[in-house]
């Protein structure tokens, strides 16, 4: 590889270096306890999907350029100058990782492979080996934001269509406020109407003061592995929230978008936001408990189960609210085993659903989730993350599960009285 | 656009954003430079997404129209 | 002392202790001057209060209950090894100063019997654990994960434990002999007492110490820095 390329890779690693990463690089014992935690390794037994191996590939570069020991005795540590072979393996191992952090949960040192692969992505981007599709999706989102004069009308017209569809479906008007100064809530949805309609119905029923963001919550800059782009993409709705003076930003049923907004954004922006960030399910749970909306306790008569998206559950701490909601509307709610912090990743996270080249490992890695769903006997699955839904829908087709997979809020809207 | 014969037809109905944009992007190299993809989507978000994708990747959306409940795109591969 | 004994059981001990202490301090300093990750990397659920989080940090670090659930065999080996190593370390303190209260209770013979049993058990457990790890690393499905560093550390441990076990089971010398040598080390005039110089057991001691010295010298530059690093990384898991 050219020296210039290596220099920029090392530069990125240096810029992204922090205490946690350094410790993860220094202390991993390569005990491989993580092997049985990873849905991809369990499904394929392929070394490049072993969490410790994913980290080891970055460690080889770290050892070579950031430690004296690795410079003096490269063979002892397998410290390596990056070459095309290393980059090929790093690419496959890194972009395949769904960032579910199930390995982190089981690691005796809590080594965060998801965090390590996010840095590896930065190194790959510096070498011109970032995933093209995720890069394009990130750029398209930024292009929209930079050219709002062109897209504003298209987007607002799209919202008007949603209002018309809702009125046809419900036989009564439901407003979707946009750009409403001083609203309590800025609701950040996805580009599709499926993430807007049920929320609008619920906000309407609760008499909430809300306004819909013109920007989608999805953040392909985060999946791509470029924190600067990820911040710019999140800036769009965070700045909108500041401009409108809302009390809270509510993120739709999307896993990574919630984590970006709640766990990462303030650190990236280096400022405290004048509003709080919540997931829509926290809000709906509160509405039900406070009696602001009334739901039919038998509203969902069918047997239904729930999938914990990693970014909302293990990485976001939202376990009980969705379950309380399900118990409030569905008498035949059953949990999967395992669930909550030990639940299996469905295999669809980290932007992998948009990367065709990983289709094979993605579908194989869903095997555990398929077993779990089958064991519940439910044909209805509530799932508050778009990437999980895309993945499980495909798994349902491939394995002929005949599942109906819906956002939790859609069931709540169905059960509203 | 009825006078344009597409090199590839993509049925993106039922796909939610950003998947329509993803499918167009994945298929753009399946037509020759100067070739045209005709894509039909049902997700309203694609009306902004596909033009934004085209602009940021240097391709061209020749037309984007709403026909009934569907969104019809003619996308030309430029490079 | 001949030159080899002097190298391994004399001057080598000082060098090893200086490198170990300095190296670990340097490593901790290196970590501390690297800024913390600004983003929140905690795993959920986690305790809400400070003391609760600290308690979980201790449990995660010393008992790793999650790891036990997913990989019981390796964790049993790891726990037994670490406990045996701790027991062996405590037992070795007898060379610095006789455990007088224990001797008062057990008597001199009783103390020697107790030390023989406890030290022997620790030595055997460590040997079995090291052999198990070596086998797992060499023949496991994921053997390609291993790097030479892993084998070097296991080889050093194997050397330490084999030679230690030899001293315990075959050497035939009692604690008082080693105490005399240790006293000379602490007085900075390393010398072997006559019982050692006249016994072939001193070769076993020399090799034991060679491995110990190398192990301590290499420790700060290896993955064994998890001895202190694991507290920090597990704290991130429960962090705010």
């Amino acid at each position: 590889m050219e020296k210039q390329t290596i220099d920029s890779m090392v530069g990125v690693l240096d810029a992204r270096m922090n205490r946690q990463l350094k410790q993860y690089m220094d202390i991993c014992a390569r005990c491989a306890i993580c092997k049985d935690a990873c849905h991809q390794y369990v499904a394929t037994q392929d070394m490049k999907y072993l969490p410790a191996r994913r980290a080891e590939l970055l460690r080889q570069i770290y050892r070579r350029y950031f430690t004296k020991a690795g410079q003096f005795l490269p063979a002892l540590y397998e410290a390596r100058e990056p070459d095309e072979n290393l980059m090929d393996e790093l690419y496959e191992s890194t972009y395949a990782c769904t960032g579910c952090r199930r390995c982190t949960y089981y690691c005796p040192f809590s080594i965060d492979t998801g965090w390590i692969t996010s840095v590896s992505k930065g190194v790959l981007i510096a070498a011109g080996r970032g995933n093209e599709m995720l890069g394009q999706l990130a750029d398209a989102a930024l292009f929209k934001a930079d050219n709002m004069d062109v897209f504003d009308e298209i987007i607002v017209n799209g919202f008007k269509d949603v209002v018309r569809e809702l009125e046809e479906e419900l036989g009564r008007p439901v407003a979707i406020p946009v750009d409403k100064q001083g609203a309590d809530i800025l609701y950040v949805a996805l580009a599709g109407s499926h993430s807007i309609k049920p929320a609008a119905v619920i906000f309407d029923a609760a008499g909430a003061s809300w306004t819909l963001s013109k920007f989608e919550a999805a953040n392909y800059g985060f999946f791509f592995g470029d924190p600067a782009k990820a911040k710019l993409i999140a800036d769009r709705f965070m700045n909108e929230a500041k401009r409108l003076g809302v009390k809270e930003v509510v993120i739709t049923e999307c896993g990574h978008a919630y984590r970006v907004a709640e766990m990462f954004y303030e650190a990236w922006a280096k400022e405290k936001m004048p509003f709080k960030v919540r997931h829509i399910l926290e809000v709906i749970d509160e509405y039900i408990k406070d009696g602001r909306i009334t739901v039919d306790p038998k509203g969902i008569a069918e047997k239904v189960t729930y999938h914990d998206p990693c970014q909302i559950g293990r990485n976001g701490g939202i376990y009980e609210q969705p379950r309380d909601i399900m118990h409030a509307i569905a008498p035949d709610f059953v949990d999967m085993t395992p669930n909550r912090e030990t639940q299996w990743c469905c295999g669809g996270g980290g932007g992998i659903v948009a990367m065709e080249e990983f289709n094979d490992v993605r579908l194989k890695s869903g095997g555990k989730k398929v077993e779990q769903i089958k064991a519940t006997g439910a044909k209805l699955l509530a799932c508050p993350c778009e990437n999980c839904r895309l993945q499980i829908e495909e798994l349902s087709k491939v394995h002929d599960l005949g599942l109906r997979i819906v956002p939790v809020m859609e069931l709540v809207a169905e059960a509203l009285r | 656009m009825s006078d344009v014969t597409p090199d590839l037809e993509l049925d993106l109905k039922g796909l939610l954003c950003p998947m329509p944009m993803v499918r167009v992007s994945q298929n753009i190299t399946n037509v020759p430079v100067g070739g045209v993809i005709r894509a039909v989507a049902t997700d309203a978000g694609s009306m902004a997404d596909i033009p934004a994708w085209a602009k940021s990747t240097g391709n061209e959306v020749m037309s984007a129209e709403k026909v009934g409940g569907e969104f019809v795109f003619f996308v030309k591969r430029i490079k | 002392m001949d030159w080899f004994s002097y190298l391994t059981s004399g001057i080598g001990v000082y060098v090893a202790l200086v490198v170990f202490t300095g190296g670990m301090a340097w490593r901790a300093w290196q970590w501390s001057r690297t800024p913390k990750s600004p983003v929140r990397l905690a795993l959920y659920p986690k305790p809400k209060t400070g003391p609760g989080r600290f308690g979980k940090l201790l449990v995660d670090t010393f008992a790793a209950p999650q790891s036990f659930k997913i990989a019981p065999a390796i964790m049993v080996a790891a726990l037994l090894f670490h406990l045996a190593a701790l027991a062996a370390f405590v037992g070795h303190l007898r060379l610095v100063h006789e455990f007088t209260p224990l001797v008062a209770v057990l008597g001199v013979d009783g103390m020697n019997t107790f030390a023989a049993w406890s030290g022997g058990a620790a030595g055997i457990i460590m040997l079995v654990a090291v052999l198990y790890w070596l086998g797992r690393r060499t023949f496991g499905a994921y053997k390609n994960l291993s790097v030479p560093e892993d084998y070097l550390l296991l080889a050093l441990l194997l050397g330490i434990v084999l030679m230690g076990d030899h001293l315990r089971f075959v050497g035939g010398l009692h604690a008082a002999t080693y105490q005399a040598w240790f006293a000379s080390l602490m007085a900075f005039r390393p010398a072997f007492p006559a019982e050692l110089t006249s016994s072939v057991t001193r070769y076993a001691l020399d090799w034991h110490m060679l491995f110990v010295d190398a192990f301590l010298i290499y420790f700060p530059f290896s993955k064994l820095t998890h001895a202190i690093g694991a507290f920090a990384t597990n704290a991130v898991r429960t962090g705010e």
Side-chain angles (χ1 to χ4, degrees):
Chain A
M1 283 180 91
E2 281 178 35
K3 189 180 173 301
Q4 205 184 344
T5 313
I6 295 179
D7 284 350
S8 64
M9 289 162 62
V10 173
V12 164
L13 189 49
D14 191 37
R16 298 285 296 274
M17 188 58 66
N18 57 43
R19 191 182 304 169
Q20 279 76 18
L21 182 67
K22 206 168 178 55
Q23 286 167 337
Y24 298 149
M25 290 289 106
D26 286 338
I27 72 171
C28 174
R30 285 173 290 274
C31 66
I33 283 174
C34 48
K35 74 186 168 66
D36 296 321
C38 177
H39 55 293
Q40 289 181 346
Y41 183 76
V42 167
T44 62
Q45 303 288 309
D46 186 334
M47 271 288 293
K48 63 175 175 278
Y49 301 131
L50 182 74
R53 177 67 183 171
R54 297 186 212 258
E56 192 63 24
L57 294 168
L58 185 66
R59 189 172 291 116
Q60 292 180 343
I61 302 174
Y62 166 80
R63 286 289 203 189
R64 170 68 184 75
Y65 295 97
F66 292 82
T67 68
K68 291 274 178 292
Q71 282 155 10
F72 284 130
L73 293 166
L76 184 60
Y77 301 98
E78 290 189 357
R80 240 168 117 178
E81 239 175 59
D83 55 22
E84 292 304 328
N85 287 340
L86 174 61
M87 297 312 284
D88 287 346
E89 200 187 345
L90 187 67
Y91 176 86
E92 286 186 36
S93 159
T94 298
Y95 275 108
C97 177
T98 57
C100 74
R101 303 207 301 165
R102 198 169 187 266
C103 50
T104 310
Y105 176 80
Y106 285 108
C107 174
F109 309 149
S110 308
I111 291 177
D112 190 340
T113 312
W115 184 245
I116 293 170
T117 55
S118 80
V119 176
S120 296
K121 286 178 181 179
V123 171
L124 283 161
I125 293 169
R129 297 287 300 263
N131 179 273
E132 211 180 329
M133 178 59 67
L134 298 180
Q136 285 181 11
L137 289 166
D139 288 343
L142 288 174
F143 185 84
K144 265 199 285 186
D146 292 341
N147 296 277
M148 270 316 268
D149 46 334
V150 180
F151 290 103
D152 194 276
E153 198 188 324
I154 300 174
I155 291 168
V156 174
N157 280 341
F159 294 161
K160 285 179 186 157
D161 283 344
V162 177
V163 173
R164 269 192 293 276
E165 284 169 32
L166 265 178
E167 184 158 3
E168 275 167 31
E169 286 165 25
L170 300 170
R172 65 180 166 87
V174 171
I176 296 183
V178 181
D179 266 334
K180 188 171 144 194
Q181 194 70 36
D184 289 345
I185 290 171
L186 177 72
Y187 175 63
V188 191
L190 300 170
S193 62
H194 63 297
S195 69
I196 302 173
K197 283 185 195 170
V201 170
I202 293 165
F203 283 136
D204 184 63
S209 154
W210 72 292
T211 182
L212 178 62
S213 171
K214 288 181 186 169
F215 304 99
E216 72 274 11
N219 194 324
Y220 280 88
F222 176 67
F223 288 150
F224 182 50
D226 184 337
K229 275 190 182 155
K231 180 191 169 283
L232 286 173
I233 291 172
D235 275 348
R236 301 172 312 159
F237 62 78
M238 290 295 190
N239 290 338
E240 190 184 17
K242 276 194 225 162
R243 180 168 56 80
L244 296 175
V246 298
K247 292 193 184 115
E248 62 178 324
V249 165
V250 173
I251 304 287
T252 190
E253 297 196 21
C254 173
H256 76 286
Y258 171 69
R259 189 159 175 232
V260 163
E262 168 66 6
M263 307 290 167
F264 292 173
Y265 186 77
E266 284 190 345
W268 287 343
K270 297 190 179 72
E271 63 170 300
K272 183 107 186 81
M273 292 295 123
F275 44 78
K276 61 179 176 178
V277 172
R278 284 204 289 173
H279 191 264
I280 180 78
L281 293 185
E282 294 179 89
V283 177
I284 294 175
D285 179 47
E286 187 183 274
Y287 286 169
I288 294 176
K289 285 175 182 160
D290 291 352
R292 284 183 68 177
I293 58 174
T294 316
V295 287
D296 179 354
K298 294 190 182 118
I300 306 300
E302 192 183 339
K303 185 179 217 179
V304 53
T305 186
Y306 173 77
H307 166 66
D308 282 290
C310 307
Q311 304 300 356
I312 292 169
R314 199 180 295 115
N315 303 331
I318 299 175
Y319 293 120
E320 301 314 321
Q321 298 91 331
R323 287 180 170 78
D324 289 351
I325 293 172
M326 294 310 296
H327 282 300
I329 60 172
D332 201 4
F333 169 67
V334 279
D335 238 322
M336 289 186 219
T337 314
N339 56 55
R340 293 179 174 84
E341 65 268 31
T342 55
Q343 89 21 62
W344 281 99
C345 172
C346 66
I352 196 171
V353 286
M355 297 182 278
E356 212 172 21
E357 60 207 282
F358 295 110
N359 277 1
D360 195 36
V361 59
R362 172 166 65 80
L363 289 173
K364 268 189 202 155
S365 73
K368 284 283 175 191
K369 190 50 60 183
V370 170
E371 281 172 29
Q372 279 186 284
I373 297 171
K374 271 188 185 164
T376 64
K379 293 288 175 196
L380 177 59
L381 174 74
C383 173
C385 168
E386 184 81 7
N387 281 317
C388 302
R389 284 196 295 270
L390 286 168
Q391 162 79 348
I392 301 174
E393 251 156 37
E394 204 170 334
L395 290 175
S396 173
K397 280 192 197 115
V398 172
H399 295 269
D400 211 10
L401 302 179
L403 289 174
R404 184 179 153 228
I405 302 143
V406 290
V408 177
M409 60 182 172
E410 197 171 307
L411 296 180
V412 175
E414 266 179 53
L416 269 183
R417 276 213 268 228
Chain B
M1 280 295 131
S2 52
D3 52 332
V4 176
T5 313
D7 299 76
L8 185 66
E9 296 262 359
L10 288 181
D11 179 3
L12 311 173
K13 290 188 278 259
L15 288 181
L16 301 174
C17 279
M19 296 319 281
M21 166 170 49
V22 169
R23 291 283 177 269
V24 171
S25 175
Q26 282 167 349
N27 282 287
I28 196 74
T29 49
N30 293 336
V31 299
V33 172
V36 173
I37 292 180
R38 178 178 180 274
V40 182
T42 47
D43 191 312
S46 56
M47 276 303 268
D49 275 5
I50 291 179
W53 164 83
K55 287 279 184 195
S56 64
T57 54
N59 290 294
E60 183 190 335
V61 171
M62 299 161 70
S63 81
E65 293 176 312
K66 190 172 178 199
V67 183
E70 294 175 352
F71 304 94
V72 183
F73 302 90
F74 282 84
V75 183
K76 189 175 188 178
R77 181 175 173 192
I78 298 295
K79 54 182 185 183
Chain C
M1 267 184 167
D2 60 21
W3 68 269
F4 188 60
S5 300
Y6 185 72
L7 199 68
T8 60
S9 312
I11 189 82
V13 179
Y14 303 120
V15 173
L17 283 175
V18 167
V19 174
F20 174 78
T21 320
M24 290 305 274
W26 174 73
R27 178 54 56 97
W29 179 74
Q30 250 197 343
W31 284 338
S32 69
R33 71 173 188 153
T34 314
K36 268 196 194 171
S37 158
V39 302
R40 295 153 65 191
L41 293 173
L43 279 180
Y44 296 85
K46 61 189 178 72
K48 287 191 174 63
T49 64
R53 284 200 291 268
F54 185 68
K56 178 157 164 57
L57 159 65
L58 294 182
V59 171
D60 284 343
T61 308
F62 288 109
Q66 298 87 331
S67 314
F68 265 99
K69 271 180 216 142
I70 199 167
I74 176 96
M75 285 307 291
V76 167
L79 187 73
L80 285 177
F81 175 85
H82 283 89
L83 285 176
L86 179 69
F89 176 77
V90 172
H92 279 72
L93 293 180
R94 196 177 167 213
L95 305 182
V96 181
H97 192 276
E98 180 58 281
F99 301 150
T100 12
L102 262 181
V103 178
V105 176
L106 300 170
V108 175
D109 286 346
M111 181 66 208
N112 282 335
T113 314
F114 172 71
W117 278 100
S118 54
I124 287 169
I125 289 169
M126 286 167 77
L127 181 62
V128 171
V130 170
L131 290 174
Y132 167 72
W133 280 341
L134 209 50
R136 187 177 177 271
R137 196 167 278 293
T138 313
F139 303 109
Y142 41 87
K143 56 177 180 260
N144 295 337
L145 181 65
S146 303
V147 308
E149 173 191 3
D150 303 324
Y151 292 103
L152 174 64
L153 287 168
L154 284 172
L156 291 175
L157 276 175
L158 191 63
I160 293 171
V161 175
L162 276 177
M163 289 299 117
D165 283 351
H166 180 92
L167 294 173
R168 163 56 63 203
F169 297 116
V170 189
L173 293 178
H174 281 294
T177 313
Y178 300 112
Q179 275 163 356
W181 159 62
F182 237 70
S184 78
L185 270 177
M186 285 193 295
F188 295 102
R189 281 192 299 274
F192 278 161
E195 294 92 329
L196 258 174
T197 37
S198 64
S199 162
V200 285
T201 301
R202 79 161 193 276
Y203 296 115
L205 177 65
D206 286 343
W207 280 95
H208 181 64
M209 291 312 296
L210 178 71
F211 289 124
V212 170
D213 296 343
F215 184 75
L216 286 178
I217 288 168
Y218 185 46
F219 198 107
F221 309 98
S222 74
K223 61 181 187 176
L224 299 180
T225 45
H226 71 244
I228 51 172
F231 291 92
T233 54
N234 281 328
V236 174
R237 177 196 196 111
T238 46
E240 286 190 64

